[in-house]
Amino acid sequence: MSSTRVLLLGVLLDGPLHGYEVRRKLELWGADSWANVAYGSIYHGLSKMADEGLLEIIESGKGGKTVYGITQAGRDHFYFLLGEYWCDVKPIVDPFQVAVTFMDRMSEGRLLALMHERTQQLTATVGMMARARGGKQGFGAPRHVDESLDMIRSMLQVQLDWLEQAIPRVKDNDLP
Amino acid sequence: MSSTRVLLLGVLLDGPLHGYEVRRKLELWGADSWANVAYGSIYHGLSKMADEGLLEIIESGKGGKTVYGITQAGRDHFYFLLGEYWCDVKPIVDPFQVAVTFMDRMSEGRLLALMHERTQQLTATVGMMARARGGKQGFGAPRHVDESLDMIRSMLQVQLDWLEQAIPRVKDNDLP
DNA sequence: GATGACATATGCAAATTTGTATACAAGTTT
DNA sequence: AAACTTGTATACAAATTTGCATATGTCATC
């Protein structure tokens, strides 16, 4: 199961919002770099949870915006899910590892070229994230959302470190 | 988009297999700890890609097993996707960061309890992964799949390191 | 006041994923 | 050998996600 529901419920804890405001808040938090919420899913998620009684429709804009608020059942469910997310070690989904899995399917030349290319991409991304740090508070984002971004940055650093030691190994035919 | 397609195509590179064999191979590679392939999706993915000409049905078992092989179009598509996975820095989806995002929604007591609980869970998981390292080669898994598991272990270590420095900060009211 | 460029805001069909039900073979216990 | 557990193997309905199509508002500029 994805994290869409917790995110939607969590965003609504402080008061009713309509779909687009939810989206903005998630963007502000940088959720797109550590969660997987396609913005199209927001509207489905909201209306589904309203059906289930976790949310209620505050203002049904016929043709316009629909404002959703969280119900007590919704709050309860949120705290239940939150507890799970804290306790359970769920798998971290890293698309790069799919690439690594098939590193033996390419010629050494192509592999090394791609490894260098990725090193550059990663360095740029990590640098950008470091600079972006703290820039969101001005727009009302809580201070601790930066903690998530720091962790993501460290995880990208793990990829960088791996590349750094793997490149010489590939050259020495120690890998794959 | 998820990584189901590359994984299925990649698993079939070496020769035709039926659905359950694909599943076993992915399990052997430890794919469930860094990818998100529900085993139910395998059958859909295979038959869909067969429709699209990326795979071909080698042996259509009416009522029994269906064996799929990769076509040239499938190989081409695989290498195209693989290039993308190497170059593009796609978001790492980490469910724990959802938990961190809402750390300000709990009492300090409960938060600290959950942080300790997670520290323990993580320590256990990391230990298990360290011990499991290398144990799969005996069953025909390529040596470099361990590289993925190492990276995942390091990423879990990032969570541990974060917790270690965050716990005192919470106690000092420096967080959230 | 027309034009264009953006930001705001939602909905939906098509594609995908999930969880579970099903079936049968093989082994093993009683 | 009947009654079980376990492993093998697939399919499917229901739920979810995705990418895109569709409006509408607004602000500047010519």
Side-chain angles (χ1 to χ4, degrees):
Chain A
M1 218 182 306
S2 77
S3 43
T4 312
R5 276 161 177 260
V6 216
L7 283 171
L8 295 183
L9 289 169
V11 157
L12 290 171
L13 283 177
D14 286 331
L17 298 172
H18 58 78
Y20 193 68
E21 287 171 323
V22 169
R23 169 187 169 158
R24 297 307 302 273
K25 215 161 175 178
L26 289 176
E27 273 174 351
L28 179 62
W29 291 355
D32 43 342
S33 53
W34 44 265
N36 208 343
V37 186
Y39 299 129
S41 322
I42 293 175
Y43 297 94
H44 169 80
L46 291 175
S47 89
K48 190 72 202 306
M49 289 200 289
D51 286 351
E52 296 170 9
L54 303 175
L55 301 179
E56 57 181 341
I57 294 174
I58 303 289
E59 204 185 305
S60 171
K62 298 108 193 164
K65 9 186 176 183
T66 309
V67 179
Y68 293 90
I70 191 168
T71 63
Q72 189 54 47
R75 273 175 209 280
D76 294 347
H77 191 58
F78 171 79
Y79 281 106
F80 168 75
L81 290 175
L82 191 55
E84 288 208 324
Y85 277 88
W86 270 97
C87 291
D88 300 351
V89 178
K90 309 195 185 197
I92 299 172
V93 175
D94 181 6
F96 175 56
Q97 312 212 1
V98 177
V100 173
T101 304
F102 298 112
M103 66 184 295
D104 59 334
R105 302 298 167 157
M106 287 179 293
S107 70
E108 185 174 316
R110 175 144 169 80
L111 178 58
L112 283 170
L114 287 171
M115 288 174 103
H116 280 116
E117 165 74 10
R118 190 175 185 88
T119 303
Q120 282 184 10
Q121 299 284 340
L122 277 173
T123 309
T125 308
V126 167
M128 250 184 300
M129 293 184 83
R131 280 192 298 283
R133 211 209 123 102
K136 295 174 291 301
Q137 273 82 35
F139 301 97
R143 207 163 50 84
H144 65 279
V145 300
D146 275 338
E147 304 292 323
S148 284
L149 293 208
D150 282 347
M151 267 191 274
I152 282 294
R153 215 173 64 215
S154 303
M155 288 182 181
L156 293 178
Q157 189 64 49
V158 167
Q159 292 185 1
L160 263 175
D161 295 345
W162 181 82
L163 282 168
E164 199 185 342
Q165 57 83 44
I167 288 176
R169 285 207 284 154
V170 170
K171 283 181 183 152
D172 292 351
N173 283 316
D174 180 34
L175 254 183
Chain B
M1 220 182 307
S2 79
S3 42
T4 311
R5 275 159 178 261
V6 216
L7 284 171
L8 295 183
L9 290 170
V11 157
L12 290 171
L13 283 179
D14 286 332
L17 297 172
H18 59 78
Y20 194 68
E21 287 171 323
V22 169
R23 170 187 167 157
R24 297 307 301 271
K25 216 163 175 175
L26 290 176
E27 273 174 351
L28 179 62
W29 291 355
D32 44 340
S33 54
W34 43 265
N36 207 344
V37 186
Y39 299 128
S41 322
I42 293 175
Y43 298 93
H44 169 81
L46 290 175
S47 89
K48 189 71 201 305
M49 290 199 290
D51 286 352
E52 296 170 9
L54 303 175
L55 301 178
E56 58 182 341
I57 294 174
I58 302 289
E59 204 186 305
S60 171
K62 297 109 192 162
K65 11 188 175 182
T66 308
V67 179
Y68 293 90
I70 191 168
T71 63
Q72 188 54 48
R75 272 175 211 280
D76 294 347
H77 191 58
F78 171 78
Y79 281 106
F80 168 74
L81 290 175
L82 191 55
E84 287 206 325
Y85 276 88
W86 270 97
C87 291
D88 300 351
V89 178
K90 309 194 186 199
I92 299 172
V93 174
D94 181 6
F96 176 55
Q97 311 212 3
V98 177
V100 172
T101 305
F102 298 112
M103 66 186 293
D104 60 333
R105 301 299 167 158
M106 286 178 293
S107 71
E108 185 175 318
R110 174 143 169 80
L111 178 57
L112 283 169
L114 288 171
M115 289 174 105
H116 281 114
E117 165 73 10
R118 190 174 186 88
T119 303
Q120 282 184 11
Q121 298 284 340
L122 277 174
T123 309
T125 308
V126 167
M128 250 184 299
M129 293 185 82
R131 280 191 298 283
R133 212 209 122 103
K136 294 173 293 302
Q137 273 82 36
F139 302 96
R143 206 164 50 84
H144 64 279
V145 301
D146 275 338
E147 304 293 321
S148 284
L149 293 205
D150 282 347
M151 267 191 275
I152 282 293
R153 214 172 66 215
S154 303
M155 288 182 181
L156 292 177
Q157 189 63 49
V158 167
Q159 292 185 2
L160 263 175
D161 294 344
W162 181 82
L163 281 167
E164 198 185 341
Q165 56 84 45
I167 288 175
R169 285 207 284 154
V170 170
K171 283 180 183 152
D172 292 352
N173 284 317
D174 180 34
L175 255 183

